[in-house]
C-alpha cells in the first residue's frame, strides 16, 4: 500500500493533541523501519496529555505519543540480520546507552541515558511509520497477534514486578489496584505458579475483570483504615500473603500493602503516586518486610512473549476498545474517562 504521509499523534503541548503528518523516517545502521500496527494507550500517555508532565519529565516541545506498539518491518537498515521485510514484531520502547554500569550489568532499565518512546524529549510510535533499534524488536510467532504484541509492553512490567517480588510455585500474592498494570501482574503471578492471588480496588467493574482473569479473591476497598483492609485480606487468604505487589500508587493502598504482608515477606512498589508518602516503616522494619521498587523492566520481553505464545497467559480480555489511527483523539478521550469500562484502548495504525 502506497502511503503519502506519516500520520502521527502529536502532543503539541499540555492539553493539545493533534493528528498531523510527520516525515517518514529511514532506518539507520542496525535499525528497522516499521509500518506501525497496534498501539495501546497507556496511563502515562494520557497523563502527559492532561498534565504536561510526569515528575521531572516535562513536555517542553511537541512530542509523538505511544509506546505500547507492534509493527511490520517495512525496510531494514545496514547490519540488520535477524529481521526482514514483512516480519511482525513487538517493540520494546526503551533504548539504553549500552555503555554504563547498569547497562553492562543487564539492569538497563536503570540507565540514566535511556531514550524511551513518548517520554520527553523522545518521540513515541503512535504513527504510520517509525524506526527502531532492530535488537529491541521481537519477532512474533504466527500464533501471537499484533495486538498481543502491543500488550507485551504492560505485560513486561508484570514480569519484572513478579521477578523482583520472587513469585514462585505456591506463592500467595496480593495485588493492590486492578488497573491494566495490576491485571497484567495478576496474570503473570498466576503463570509463574502463584497458588492464590488476591486483588483489591475501589471499583467493582475492575474487580469483575480481575475475577474473569483468574483472581482467587477480589476485595473491594471500602475502608480508609489500612489495618482494617489488611485484616480483610488476611481473612480472604486464611493467612497473610508472602508477597504484595502494589499497583495503584495510592498512599492508603501502600500502607495496607505493608500491614497485609506476612513477616519476612516482600512488597514491591509498582504504582507511582505522590513523590513522598507516609508509610508504616517501623512495622515493615521490625517484621522484616522488604520494600522494593521497580522501574519498567529489563530482559522481560522474551519471557512475556513466551508466556503468550505458549498459551500460559491470555491478555486479550484487557482490550476493551479499538480505534483507527485517525481517531486517536477519540481513543484518548475514552482512555481518560474510562467510558464504557475502558481498560486497554487499542489503536490500529494501518486503518
Ligand atoms: P490505573 O490508574 O488505570 O489503575 C490504578 C487502579 O488502582 C485503579 O483501578 C484504581 O481504582 C485503583 N485504586 C486507586 N486507589 C486505590 C486504593 N486505595 N486501593 C486499591 N486500589 C486503588 O493505572 P495503571 O495503568 O494500572 O498503572 C498503575 C500504576 O502503576 C500507576 O501509578 C502507574 O504510574 C504505575 N506504573 C509504574 C510503572 C513502573 O515502572 N514502576 C510502570 C507502569 C505503570
Ligand atoms: Zn546505560
Amino acid at each position: 500500500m502506497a502511503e503519502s504521509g506519516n500520520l502521527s499523534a502529536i502532543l503539541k503541548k499540555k492539553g493539545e493533541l493533534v493528528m498531523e503528518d510527520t516525515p517518514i523516517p529511514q532506518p539507520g545502521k542496525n535499525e528497522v523501519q516499521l509500518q506501525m500496527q497496534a498501539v495501546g494507550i497507556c496511563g502515562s500517555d494520557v497523563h502527559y496529555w492532561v498534565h504536561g508532565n510526569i515528575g521531572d519529565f516535562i513536555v517542553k516541545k511537541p512530542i509523538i505519543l505511544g509506546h505500547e506498539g507492534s509493527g511490520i518491518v517495512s525496510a531494514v537498515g545496514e547490519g540488520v540480520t535477524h529481521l526482514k521485510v514483512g516480519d511482525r514484531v513487538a517493540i520494546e520502547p526503551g533504548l539504553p546507552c549500552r555503555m554504563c554500569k547498569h547497562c553492562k550489568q543487564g539492569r538497563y532499565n536503570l540507565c540514566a541515558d535511556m531514550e524511551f518512546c513518548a517520554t520527553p524529549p523522545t518521540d513515541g510510535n503512535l504513527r504510520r511509520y517509525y524506526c527502531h533499534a532492530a535488537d529491541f524488536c521481537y519477532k512474533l510467532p504466527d500464533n501471537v497477534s499484533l495486538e498481543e504484541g502491543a500488550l507485551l509492553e504492560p505485560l513486561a512490567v508484570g514480569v519484572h514486578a513478579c521477578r523482583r517480588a520472587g513469585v514462585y510455585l505456591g506463592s500467595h500474592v496480593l495485588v493492590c489496584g486492578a488497573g491494566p498494570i495490576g491485571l497484567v501482574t495478576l496474570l503473570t503471578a498466576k503463570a509463574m505458579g502463584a497458588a492464590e492471588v488476591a486483588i483489591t480496588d475501589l471499583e467493582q467493574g475492575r474487580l469483575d475483570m480481575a475475577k474473569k482473569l483468574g483472581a482467587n479473591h477480589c476485595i473491594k476497598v471500602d475502608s480508609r483504615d489500612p489495618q482494617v483492609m489488611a485484616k480483610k485480606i488476611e481473612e480472604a487468604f486464611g493467612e497473610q500473603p508472602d508477597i504484595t505487589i502494589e499497583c495503584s500508587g495510592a498512599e492508603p493502598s501502600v500502607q495496607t500493602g505493608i500491614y497485609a504482608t506476612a513477616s519476612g515477606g516482600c512488597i514491591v512498589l509498582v504504582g507511582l503516586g505522590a513523590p513522598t508518602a507516609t508509610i508504616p516503616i517501623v512495622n515493615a522494619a521490625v517484621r522484616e518486610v522488604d520494600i522494593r521498587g521497580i522501574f519498567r523492566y529489563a530482559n522481560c520481553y522474551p519471557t512475556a512473549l513466551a508466556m503468550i505464545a505458549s498459551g500460559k497467559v491470555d491478555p486479550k480480555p484487557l482490550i476493551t476498545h479499538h480505534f483507527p489511527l485517525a481517531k486517536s483523539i477519540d481513543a484518548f478521550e475514552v482512555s481518560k474517562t474510562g467510558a464504557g469500562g475502558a481498560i486497554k484502548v487499542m489503536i490500529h495504525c494501518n486503518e
Side-chain angles (χ1 to χ4, degrees), residues 189-341:
K190 295 284 280 194
M192 285 185 176
E196 285 181 40
V197 179
I199 193 160
T200 65
D201 207 289
L202 302 166
E203 290 179 30
Q204 190 58 43
R206 296 235 149 152
L207 292 174
D208 293 344
M209 175 61 85
K211 185 98 227 161
K212 203 167 119 188
L213 294 175
N216 302 89
H217 313 285
C218 295
I219 301 164
K220 185 124 189 276
V221 176
D222 53 10
S223 169
R224 295 296 285 181
D225 183 336
Q227 280 169 302
V228 169
M229 287 313 304
K231 198 76 208 154
K232 287 192 183 185
I233 291 157
E234 182 178 350
E235 280 162 10
F237 278 112
E239 62 184 45
Q240 289 185 309
D242 327 301
I243 289 170
T244 296
I245 305 181
E246 206 299 312
C247 300
S248 79
E251 184 175 290
S253 182
V254 181
Q255 295 167 345
T256 297
I258 290 174
Y259 287 126
T261 307
S263 296
C266 168
I267 175 169
V268 169
L269 305 181
V270 182
L272 303 172
T276 58
T278 302
I279 58 168
I281 197 88
V282 171
N283 180 280
V286 300
R287 296 193 304 111
E288 298 192 4
V289 171
D290 293 348
I291 302 175
R292 297 188 191 156
I294 72 145
F295 189 52
R296 299 172 178 151
Y297 38 74
N299 306 304
C300 293
Y301 260 64
T303 302
L305 178 53
M307 289 190 328
I308 295 180
S310 65
K312 293 250 183 316
V313 156
D314 176 11
K316 288 190 297 295
L318 292 179
I319 306 173
T320 51
H321 292 74
H322 297 267
F323 288 87
L325 180 63
K327 294 261 161 60
S328 291
I329 295 167
D330 295 345
F332 269 76
E333 201 61 52
V334 167
S335 187
K336 180 177 85 175
T337 59

Side-chain angles (χ1 to χ4, degrees), residues 97-98 100 103 111:
C97 81
R98 305 163 192 249
C100 72
C103 284
C111 176

